[in-house]
Amino acid sequence: DYVENVGICNFSTKKTKQMWTFYTDKYKGFAVKYKHNRLFLPQSDDIAIKSHVLYLKNNIPDHPNLIETLKSIQNKHAAEPVKIWQHQILFHHDFCRKDISFEWESEYRMITFNTKTHNRRIKINPSTIDSIYIGQNMSEPDIIRMKELLKNLSHVKVFKINPNHKTQILEEVRIKDLNQLIK
């Protein structure tokens, strides 16, 4: 029951075209680019952890900084609180680590442990949305829904992602009129 109530919201701190290959279901999805400012990160009691992901060889918790942190609190306080603190550090670490082969994602996570109270949603200030990138194969119902969501966000730039099979790159085409998206 506890694990079912954990919610993890992932962000990448880098713009990488590899994400389209892994996460958009053959260019049916979309990506959101946020402005990096203090308004972006929600200040909420619902979010328990905000952290960059640590990428490890063999995905084991043997990072020197982690070991140093755990050792630094030993023998300085009562044994029971130290044990609790070390457990909390390792618990946090388990949610914020990944195998080094995913380092290209440059991931940042927001984690909550009470998803039932907010229906697995994190509120983000809409003014922090910079751009939306729409995959070339997004379905018409999803495009219509996207248009509806964007109608009150005139500051958001919209791009369509088109893979160019000849050059092997993803092209970003700026869309000024959202009606251009409907096939």
Side-chain angles (χ1 to χ4, degrees):
D1 187 43
Y2 180 75
V3 173
E4 288 177 16
N5 286 310
V6 173
I8 300 176
C9 189
N10 301 316
F11 299 88
S12 177
T13 62
K14 291 181 184 172
K15 184 176 179 181
T16 171
K17 295 179 180 185
Q18 277 179 288
M19 296 294 238
W20 285 95
T21 306
F22 283 85
Y23 298 114
T24 64
D25 190 20
K26 299 177 185 155
Y27 303 98
K28 294 177 191 169
F30 66 96
V32 180
K33 178 183 178 184
Y34 295 94
K35 297 173 186 171
H36 184 68
N37 62 35
R38 66 176 182 76
L39 297 175
F40 168 66
L41 293 178
Q43 301 300 319
S44 166
D45 292 337
D46 292 331
I47 301 168
I49 298 172
K50 296 177 189 176
S51 179
H52 289 276
V53 169
L54 186 62
Y55 298 95
L56 305 169
K57 282 185 180 176
N58 304 318
N59 200 13
I60 57 174
D62 64 349
H63 193 276
N65 291 346
L66 174 65
I67 294 166
E68 177 74 24
T69 300
L70 294 172
K71 285 182 179 178
S72 72
I73 58 177
Q74 280 182 325
N75 303 322
K76 293 184 181 171
H77 306 281
E80 203 52 40
V82 167
K83 203 184 266 186
I84 291 168
W85 296 335
Q86 288 175 326
H87 177 73
Q88 286 175 330
I89 291 167
L90 286 170
F91 182 75
H92 175 278
H93 187 265
D94 278 345
F95 282 104
C96 297
R97 68 182 163 95
K98 232 174 173 177
D99 188 82
I100 199 162
S101 64
F102 291 96
E103 191 171 28
W104 59 270
E105 292 180 337
S106 188
E107 196 174 325
Y108 184 85
R109 291 184 175 173
M110 290 187 225
I111 301 169
T112 183
F113 299 108
N114 55 348
T115 59
K116 286 181 182 173
T117 63
H118 54 81
N119 199 22
R120 300 185 68 82
R121 288 182 170 83
I122 294 175
K123 291 182 182 176
I124 294 176
N125 186 330
S127 70
T128 65
I129 300 173
D130 180 81
S131 310
I132 301 280
Y133 298 82
I134 297 174
Q136 75 166 7
N137 296 326
M138 181 179 270
S139 71
E140 190 168 321
D142 287 344
I143 290 172
I144 292 168
R145 186 167 180 235
M146 183 68 70
K147 281 178 54 178
E148 185 64 27
L149 292 169
L150 289 169
K151 75 179 180 185
N152 296 321
L153 299 172
S154 59
H155 68 282
V156 176
K157 297 178 285 254
V158 179
F159 297 87
K160 186 172 184 184
I161 298 296
N162 296 314
N164 184 322
H165 301 291
K166 205 177 243 184
T167 61
Q168 300 278 313
I169 62 167
L170 295 178
E171 297 172 346
E172 299 172 358
V173 178
R174 177 83 186 263
I175 305 295
K176 299 230 183 211
D177 177 7
L178 295 179
N179 291 317
Q180 291 176 298
L181 291 171
I182 298 180
K183 301 166 188 168

